[in-house]
Amino acid sequence: MAAALSHEKLSETHRPTLDQALDAIRTRAYWSPHPEHPKAYGEGGVPGSLGPAEGKAAFDAVLHTRLDLGQPGTDGWTGGEVSPYGPELGVEYPHIDPDVLLPAMSGAMGSWRAAGPETRALVCLEILARINARTHELAHAVMHTSGQAFVMAFQAGGPHAQDCGLEAVAYAYAEQTRTPEAADWSKPQGKRDPLRLHKSYTAAGRGVSLLIGCNTFPTWNGYSGLFASLATGNPVLVKPHPRAVLPLALTVRLAREVLTEAGFDPNLVALAAERPGEGIAKSLALRPEVKIIDYTGSSSFGDWLEANAGQAQVYTEKAGVNTVVIDSTDDYRGMLSNLAFSLSLYSGQMCTTPQNLLIPRDGITTDAGAKTYDEVVTDIAEAVGGLLGDDARANGLLGALVNPDVKARLEAAAALGEVALASRAVANPDFPDAVVRTPVVVKLDGAKPDDGAAFLSECFGPVSFAVAVDSTADALTLLRRTIREKGAMTVGAYTTSPDVERAVEEVCFDESAQLSLNLTGGVYVNQTAAFSDFHGSGGNPAANAALCDGAFVSNRFRVVEVRRQA
Amino acid sequence: MAAALSHEKLSETHRPTLDQALDAIRTRAYWSPHPEHPKAYGEGGVPGSLGPAEGKAAFDAVLHTRLDLGQPGTDGWTGGEVSPYGPELGVEYPHIDPDVLLPAMSGAMGSWRAAGPETRALVCLEILARINARTHELAHAVMHTSGQAFVMAFQAGGPHAQDCGLEAVAYAYAEQTRTPEAADWSKPQGKRDPLRLHKSYTAAGRGVSLLIGCNTFPTWNGYSGLFASLATGNPVLVKPHPRAVLPLALTVRLAREVLTEAGFDPNLVALAAERPGEGIAKSLALRPEVKIIDYTGSSSFGDWLEANAGQAQVYTEKAGVNTVVIDSTDDYRGMLSNLAFSLSLYSGQMCTTPQNLLIPRDGITTDAGAKTYDEVVTDIAEAVGGLLGDDARANGLLGALVNPDVKARLEAAAALGEVALASRAVANPDFPDAVVRTPVVVKLDGAKPDDGAAFLSECFGPVSFAVAVDSTADALTLLRRTIREKGAMTVGAYTTSPDVERAVEEVCFDESAQLSLNLTGGVYVNQTAAFSDFHGSGGNPAANAALCDGAFVSNRFRVVEVRRQA
């Protein structure tokens, strides 16, 4: 292979990182090769990376241009993203003819398969390194499609997303190399000669993998599936959310660059941007070439994919209703400030943000004395209000509402109960058109789950319900029912009672939900760290897969054995 | 735990075996702890095992009795198995009320989950050891339900099936222990204190696992799913084929015995026998408690399960059309005798038996000179005829036809083309009512795949088609189409050409089919060895899962994480 990026060069650069990643998914201790501080990039930082000004300039340079990826089957151009902060992005992307592009992608599989798991992993790591070097550029792209504040777009959309991609590569490599490349098999036959066979085992990808991206976390929610599929030998067609194309288009461009330099067909990664209202996800999902689908978005389309794309392995992250059970605490201040941050971060527009706070009507015990339901709710409201009292800080935490639907839900929520904390509009001096809102906290006392209560549906956005319950036992019954019927990406609980702790754990074991207990410091229930935490469980209706585990990668390829008489 | 079988005792007895199994699935060298010679059991053999006479006596003693398993929700008794060799078995089994039994099974999960992956694996190994000790009894049960000849029933239904169960336990244990039980996570924060969390990770089963057994290999095709699910924390409800209940009922009895002795709820394994024509698989498969289904059988019901049992993870092995490509050979005699055995074993009633032999019309090159299509077919027919010329040997290889449908297909096949080898009835002196038949080989020259040709559908039983093709290249085109459209559990090929070898490998990689090349000795394309071979690939229409690999176990449980501030 006369490629610019030889296996040897890739191995020298990336094999140590791969080994560290493999170690991290086994120990689950903290680890990341991707610095999360913006100042770590640029001169003196990550080698070859763009610094703050360079990243911003790169982002500005791509605006109002046509992003030609050189893909076969390009039958036109489309675009039209408008930043939640106001500006039109004006970038045009290739529109695809799937009858041309999909066969080209399938045709790229043979040499990618033949390259083997290690080379595939190393190429993926090179792609991630190129992405990492352009984190500042991507941060602006994520900010101006998702509405995240810059620092969050930088961290969650940059290093944390890159961690997710690397974690998936590590799982994919580990899974494919559980079976050796070859084995000699010799079965004793008593006094006769043993039976002997030479066997080879080849990890073979399944076919085109379709990534259906989301609006709020285009890279964070996309990279796990993208890299899991690519590393296991599958071409990946990236279909971004129409309002969040740019971060994934830039990703695809870097992937195609690296694949070419490494001597592979760039069509192993391609972009499928769509025209307004075209809805191409549905038709692409049913194409016979598509054997794997990764999806993040609404439950209705996720359920449709699971039920209808029978030719494909379908991995979905859908909607859920996240609950925090508040029973008691020995750090009342810590609990309040931790919850306030969780409810505020990115205006609650995270699939992991708590929605329902279950509080006993008779109150809770705390290190600051007994607190009634009303007091707890008031104190939470005050904590949120205090956290977001300063507009600059509020802008930095909240970001902008991603679309008018979120704003509409926020405005409607106030009518659902007694408003403990009203939402307020925050002015953004840099982007006057941005819609920035603080969370609303609504008290629900007496709402019964069987009345079709609003709190039992996902109300995506900065809306929380402080639900009064008869007792902690009732809270656990409601928690179990919520997870089982509606799903949950996260569960939180505060308690000083070992019995309650055990009981809430049992509910989460039974119903397969990830639990955070007594968080009062700088880690929040809505955050998951790659290599250590699992994002979702795959065992309740919120998601049919966890990011990332063996099940997420093991069915993206099949092992084909060839036996020969030895 | 005051159980008779403590963890320590189980560990002392079985941990070394588990470690060897874990090693075997990594190296894929030959290994088995279960002797396959009938004389290895009884006095002086496997400790505590039943010898030939004891096993036969145990089998005879269970005939015409009621097998009371002590299951809750037993609302009557059912039975009615008739041996393919003639005799009625007369065993009665509990009939279940799922509204009582399923909640009892679900209720057994908590303590089984709390026991952890190692104890679950060790308990499974103890169950397998008890089964192994009663291999002689189970061999008769398999013989008189499947129609397999005794030695095959003994080996495939005994040690080989036990190997499959153990292999699944090893995969399940490995998968659950990839993630540690706990981790301390500490994220640096520059000059501030690091963020610290203590995390625990619990493998939690998903719910009741339903095993839908088959008629021909009740234990071999059943044990992988049964033990994979049990070892990953799930109760298993065993729904045998109504004509092959006894081997699985005896298995369930032993499992319940061991679970009780180890201090667990015996309802972790239960039997669901059905009344004639009741078809309970369909209603059980849709029960909300059922979260996992393992199925072996027809494509129509397998496809139905995949499409309809959306609440469950569904693992299917269905029908396929297995092909052997004959291009050339340097051991013509070896090829003929190997093929003759493959076509004859258990009257071709294996999902792995070759059906279509693709032979170039202009003939092939061999070490015995060039052979025309007609000569090759005649020589295969003669090899089969020679192998089965002696009635005693024929009975020992063929066994009995499992049901009248197989006989009807066999009889109809002769009309599909020119008969190269006619089937003949073989008398069985021990069982005069047994229907024993040698295979038919039918020549098809000029049959086009698009004519709805019979050879492109599975013709389960002792029927093979010698299909004349224009060239080896045509054979590979037909092979690709057959795998893609109809599925294949096995592919065989004979060639002396490296180019052809490479081409057939590429087809199998592309279409995900397991390939055996140039088998001319004592290993046959229809045999797969646990720990080394994969049974099916899970990547073509014949099966959506392989036995056994990571994908077969990784979604039978979910990892639930609990994070606590450290």
Side-chain angles (χ1 to χ4, degrees), chain B residues 480-556:
Chain B
R480 184 185 289 276
R481 177 175 176 169
T482 305
I483 305 171
R484 187 176 294 186
E485 294 180 5
K486 303 298 173 178
M489 293 301 292
T490 60
V491 173
Y494 291 91
T495 182
T496 57
S497 154
D499 288 347
V500 171
E501 192 170 311
R502 188 76 204 136
V504 69
E505 279 187 298
E506 287 294 325
V507 171
C508 290
F509 292 154
D510 287 348
E511 305 302 331
S512 205
Q514 308 299 5
L515 172 63
S516 295
L517 271 172
N518 297 319
L519 297 187
T520 54
V523 177
Y524 305 97
V525 65
N526 20 358
Q527 298 175 326
T528 47
F531 306 109
S532 183
D533 295 328
F534 293 102
H535 177 72
S537 75
N540 70 56
N544 79 356
L547 301 180
C548 186
D549 64 7
F552 190 68
V553 299
S554 57
N555 231 338
R556 291 176 194 258

Side-chain angles (χ1 to χ4, degrees), chain B residues 210-247:
Chain B
L210 176 66
L211 170 65
I212 304 176
C214 71
N215 198 172
T216 47
F217 289 90
T219 57
W220 199 96
N221 273 104
Y223 283 0
S224 301
L226 194 169
F227 285 97
S229 277
L230 190 59
T232 48
N234 305 284
V236 182
L237 181 59
V238 178
K239 205 300 288 175
H241 191 283
R243 285 194 291 260
V245 182
L246 187 56

